[in-house]
Amino acid sequence: DTQVDALGAESLLGAAADAQHAATREVVLRIAARHAQRSAIGVFVREVAPAATGMAPGITGVGGGRAHATPCIRVVSCLVPRARVTVHVDVGTDPTLDCPCNVAVCEPARPALRARESAPPIDLSGPTRDVPLYALCVGRSGDKGDVANIGIVARNARHFALLGALLPPHEVQRRLAHVLSGRVERYELPGLAAYNFVCTRALGGGGTSSLRVDKQGKTFAQQLLCQRVAVPERYVDAAVRAKL
């Protein structure tokens, strides 16, 4: 597996990259590789010095000396029947307390709350204006293994339903297709005027084994927020215009 990035040329943004900024004359080339055999990575590492002297001039990096091969450690999560798990509690110097789990009296797991279209329908017809999403909302994203979640919060609760109409799961998947390989599920938090998008197979294997620059999906929210959407003019109020 390999990953090549031109840092400074909007390489993280995929189809949403701004051509004007992507034409920058100053970038940092980042190349990462992964192989089952350490000797194969050794061949790759030996080519770093010739590339520095024979390609575009300039050498930079986060450390001195040549790159070297390191183990690729991947986290694999699984579910274990709780009847097979023995629980012990240690408090100070007191004797260890065994806490058997009586499966018979445990409450059954409640089903997860899936995405519900509880927001009232929005009519997107009529005159529209292209605005960046950040004019309507703020966001934050992060990781859990190879799963990323993106939290989107409306700046004004009045725009909660509008964001729901503009950002169905398939639209988020389309806009972030360059980084998402799995599915996208949306969860609504109407009390916060927010949505949580859970994206599977999103990080190239997860933080400890991914070859990407953004191993933890911290840029996903910003990648989404900087994209433009067609908003009906009746929703483009003074607060939205102030962000344009």
Side-chain angles (χ1 to χ4, degrees):
D1 297 336
T2 58
Q3 177 79 25
V4 180
D5 297 291
L7 305 181
E10 306 221 345
S11 61
L12 294 179
L13 296 173
D18 187 321
Q20 179 180 354
H21 294 102
T24 180
R25 295 182 296 174
E26 183 177 79
V27 300
V28 173
L29 177 64
R30 177 185 180 275
I31 305 174
R34 177 171 53 212
H35 198 278
Q37 298 181 9
R38 186 184 185 96
S39 59
I41 295 298
V43 174
F44 167 72
V45 168
R46 287 197 295 272
E47 295 300 317
V48 172
T53 57
M55 293 169 60
I59 302 175
T60 186
V62 296
R66 295 186 179 185
H68 57 279
T70 58
C72 180
I73 301 173
R74 175 172 295 178
V75 174
V76 179
S77 301
C78 65
L79 297 176
V80 177
R82 57 183 156 186
R84 299 181 61 183
V85 177
T86 304
V87 180
H88 306 285
V89 177
D90 291 304
V91 180
T93 58
D94 294 342
T96 297
L97 177 64
D98 293 332
C99 300
C101 178
N102 188 344
V103 179
V105 300
C106 291
E107 294 183 5
R110 297 176 59 187
L113 296 177
R114 295 300 178 190
R116 296 177 301 172
E117 299 301 327
S118 60
I122 290 292
D123 181 9
L124 298 178
S125 62
T128 61
R129 184 186 303 192
D130 281 351
V131 303
L133 263 173
Y134 63 71
L136 300 171
C137 55
V138 295
R140 175 75 176 176
S141 55
D143 71 304
K144 284 294 179 290
D146 198 22
V147 177
N149 77 288
I150 307 170
I152 296 295
V153 186
R155 293 182 181 273
N156 188 318
R158 172 174 175 258
H159 295 145
F160 172 65
L162 173 64
L163 287 170
L166 294 172
L167 295 175
H170 65 83
E171 181 65 10
V172 171
Q173 186 149 21
R174 183 187 71 82
R175 290 176 177 269
L176 298 178
H178 59 290
V179 289
L180 302 184
S181 300
R183 67 184 186 278
V184 176
E185 292 188 69
R186 189 181 77 181
Y187 298 83
E188 295 185 5
L189 294 83
L192 299 175
Y195 296 93
N196 184 29
F197 297 91
V198 178
C199 313
T200 63
R201 296 175 57 201
L203 299 168
T208 58
S209 62
S210 177
L211 298 180
R212 298 182 185 178
V213 176
D214 182 13
K215 302 173 184 291
Q216 298 174 312
K218 299 298 185 183
T219 67
F220 287 8
Q222 192 60 39
Q223 290 188 48
L224 195 59
L225 292 176
C226 71
Q227 299 193 34
R228 305 184 76 84
V229 291
V231 177
E233 283 282 359
R234 59 186 176 278
Y235 289 101
V236 185
D237 53 25
V240 173
R241 289 194 296 271
K243 298 293 182 181
L244 302 180

